[in-house]
Amino acid sequence: MITPSGHALAAEISGAAGPLDLRDLGARDFEAIHAAWLDHLVLLFRGQQLSDGDLIRFSRRFGELDWAPVQETGRRFVEGHPEIYVVSNVIENGVPIGSLGAGEAVWHTDMSYLEIPPKASMLYALETPPAGGDTYFCNMYEACERLPGELRSRISGLGLKHDGTYNSGGYLRHGMPAIDDPLTSAGVYHPLLTKHPESGRTALYLGRRRNAYVGGLPLAESEALLDELWQYATAEQLTWSHNWRPRDLVLWDNRCTMHRRDAFDPVCRRILHRTQVKGETRPSA
Ligand code: SIN
């Protein structure tokens, strides 16, 4: 059953009489999930019972997986499963078991600093705090559609530098020099307006704000243009938020959404495991 959230994106998927077991999906059920994912951009599945192996197996039905980004400390997390990114504030033996801590994670699209960023990501909740740590998603097709015609024409054909110096928790990525100059920081250019390779729809593609730079413009002009675009992209009417329960799985399309996360009480434990499905093509206009 597909239950749309009633917001600008997202739907919950369940079985006829309770949760749909993602460990045991026939080809037709998977096709229906794939179609719902393209239609609703973000899907929520409650009540899952997934081991790391199950999570990887379900993720691989969407395509080959990317390895997880390296944790801020340089560690890659789950022994034997380099595909799994651990998002957690838990510290064991003085070492964080995952990334992003307990602070806010700012709006971003996963790994857009790669030439071919992942097309999908999914997060599976193992432990969640009683309050806070909600994750928000926004609809970048609608962001594009809401741009005034003149602004849309102005950015058509422009490229944006996507920088991977810092992660969304504000932590310096392992091995990266701490550069805060959008003109000189390392990064990969993608068009500001991209055509989704499966739906054919056009989305605004922003990645993340820090160190972003619109190629060819004076820095002040690039900053002003990006501030204006971000206002459209993160308008509340374009978002849906999720309050996590253990055993929730949320799957999203990185080509037409961004996400962020609220801070939560650092004393509470929050552990989620994430996979990311490789994109097939470079983002293109
Ligand atoms: C992420 O950006 O993948 C993590 C989001 C979250 O912690 O909810």
Side-chain angles (χ1 to χ4, degrees), residues 254-285:
N254 282 309
R255 300 164 293 188
C256 50
T257 66
M258 296 196 296
H259 56 283
R260 66 167 288 277
R261 178 196 80 197
D262 279 341
F264 56 98
D265 183 347
V267 165
C268 300
R269 290 166 64 94
R270 185 178 189 270
I271 307 178
L272 298 99
H273 283 188
R274 193 186 83 190
T275 55
Q276 36 292 304
V277 184
K278 272 185 200 284
E280 278 126 24
T281 51
R282 278 192 77 128
S284 62

Side-chain angles (χ1 to χ4, degrees), residues 40-87:
H40 297 280
L41 324 187
V42 181
L43 298 181
L44 163 65
F45 304 85
R46 297 233 191 233
Q48 300 301 310
Q49 307 272 347
L50 304 180
S51 64
D52 284 330
D54 295 328
L55 176 61
I56 288 172
R57 264 186 296 284
F58 175 63
S59 305
R60 281 206 180 119
R61 295 188 78 162
F62 289 84
E64 200 186 329
L65 303 189
D66 266 317
W67 276 27
V70 176
Q71 185 185 348
E72 297 111 24
T73 58
R75 177 170 148 180
R76 213 179 270 278
F77 316 100
V78 179
E79 213 37 62
H81 292 308
E83 305 90 343
I84 291 189
Y85 184 58
V86 179
V87 175

Side-chain angles (χ1 to χ4, degrees), residues 85 87-88 99-101 103 105-106 108 110 121-123 133-137 168 242 244 252 259-262 264 270 272 274 276:
Y85 184 58
V87 175
S88 184
S99 274
L100 304 183
V106 297
H108 66 285
D110 289 332
S121 300
M122 52 192 101
L123 266 177
D134 292 2
T135 306
Y136 296 67
F137 294 86
S168 58
H242 179 54
W244 291 93
W252 65 91
H259 56 283
R260 66 167 288 277
R261 178 196 80 197
D262 279 341
F264 56 98
R270 185 178 189 270
L272 298 99
R274 193 186 83 190
Q276 36 292 304

Side-chain angles (χ1 to χ4, degrees), residues 26-43:
R28 284 184 55 184
D29 279 345
F30 178 73
E31 267 170 42
I33 286 174
H34 192 273
W37 169 64
L38 291 178
D39 285 349
H40 297 280
L41 324 187
V42 181
L43 298 181

